[in-house]
Amino acid sequence: MFVKNEECKITPCEPGVTRKVMSYCDELMMCEITFEKGAVGNTHSHPHLQITYIAEGVFEFTIDGETQVVKKGDSVLMPSDSVHGVRCLEAGKLVDVFSPMRETFV
């Protein structure tokens, strides 16, 4: 029921990007993603619904061909199977929430 950030495993993703799986059950998952300035989350899609909260930093998101810059306090919704990617403009952290959980992350 309680997850301590310092006890979560850090998983390298793309260069300059790491992920921590914070909490999950079959229906829902929350991850903390840390980006160095200039790092890229490669364009991809998945069947999961995803909501991202920008906890720190500035990012450029592209979703199904539309690109916008978002910053701390903003959020982004990625519909199921949307093609999306991100570029970090100012070092920061994202909080990604997936429904259902991403089985490949555990």
Side-chain angles (χ1 to χ4, degrees):
M1 300 272 296
F2 298 95
V3 177
K4 306 290 183 168
N5 189 291
E6 64 273 6
E7 296 172 2
C8 294
K9 177 184 168 190
I10 298 172
T11 302
C13 302
E14 289 86 8
V17 183
T18 60
R19 175 180 59 239
K20 288 183 181 181
V21 174
M22 301 300 299
S23 298
Y24 67 94
C25 61
D26 289 344
E27 297 85 15
L28 195 62
M29 172 181 272
M30 184 175 73
C31 300
E32 177 186 87
I33 316 297
T34 302
F35 282 78
E36 296 175 3
K37 182 178 180 177
V40 173
N42 292 323
T43 302
H44 64 286
S45 67
H46 46 73
H48 312 82
L49 179 63
Q50 177 179 343
I51 295 175
T52 296
Y53 175 75
I54 293 72
E56 299 174 15
V58 179
F59 296 85
E60 180 183 78
F61 272 85
T62 300
I63 305 168
D64 288 335
E66 180 181 350
T67 301
Q68 288 199 24
V69 174
V70 292
K71 63 184 182 333
K72 181 179 179 176
D74 295 338
S75 64
V76 181
L77 171 66
M78 274 119 334
S80 299
D81 299 314
S82 64
V83 177
H84 57 279
V86 63
R87 184 168 58 99
C88 182
L89 304 177
E90 181 183 302
K93 290 186 182 184
L94 303 176
V95 178
D96 287 345
V97 178
F98 300 97
S99 178
M101 64 94 76
R102 301 275 308 262
E103 292 181 6
T104 58
F105 285 7
V106 293

